[in-house]
Amino acid sequence: MTDKIRVMLSEEQIQERTRELAEQISKDFEGKSIHLICILKGSIFFSCDLAKRLTIPVTIDFMSVSSYGGETVSSGRVRILKDLDESIQGKNVLIIEDIIDSGRTLSYLVDFLGSRAPESLTICTLLDKPDRRVTDVDVQYVGFEIPDEFVVGYGLDYDQKYRNLPYVGVIEG
Ligand code: IMP
Ligand code: MG
């Protein structure tokens, strides 16, 4: 049986906003190069689309962290499943996330990566659920602020499913 999904953000809306963010980031980092850190697995689609639209020199690395099991509620624990391949020392690092919920994952990552002496450390997230924040994080680039609903698609999963949807939506059962 397939679940019914209500579209919250269409493919077109996401692409349009990604173009705007890429333009803004390219402008803000003009004359510099940027080192993207794609947080697996949720931000793969967003990272690819954003990276393709950046007009400044780009390098990309990947990191995998886990904060949830098969649950929809954060356990509050963050584990590094895959660390970066390359050093970030002296680089302009842009962390790319799918969604900021409690903020625990990102605030952990900011401390963890900040201790490796990057030139700068900036965050870009596709989605932000501000109502759910328990930890303060300074996020420079936000695609969309969304209400407190559990969303799937465009990288986001429920129990590893639905990541491949080209839009962001809510499971309606
Ligand atoms: P935080 O540490 O509570 O901010 O959680 C961030 C992580 O939880 C994200 O990177 C997602 O993997 C996951 N997450 C939070 N909200 C959702 C959601 O609505 N749908 C799917 N995954 C979510
Ligand atoms: Mg994630």
Side-chain angles (χ1 to χ4, degrees), residues 40 42 97-98:
L40 298 170
E97 253 291 26
D98 50 358

Side-chain angles (χ1 to χ4, degrees), residues 33-39 57-64 80 82-95 112-121:
S33 55
I34 198 163
H35 189 63
L36 305 181
I37 297 184
C38 167
I39 308 299
V58 164
T59 50
I60 306 178
D61 204 346
F62 299 87
M63 188 160 180
S64 179
I80 306 287
K82 184 217 169 290
D83 203 343
L84 299 171
D85 291 337
E86 288 143 48
S87 164
I88 57 168
Q89 194 178 344
K91 295 180 183 170
N92 290 301
V93 170
L94 180 69
I95 301 176
F112 183 79
L113 297 175
S115 71
R116 295 181 179 178
E119 170 72 22
S120 65
L121 190 55

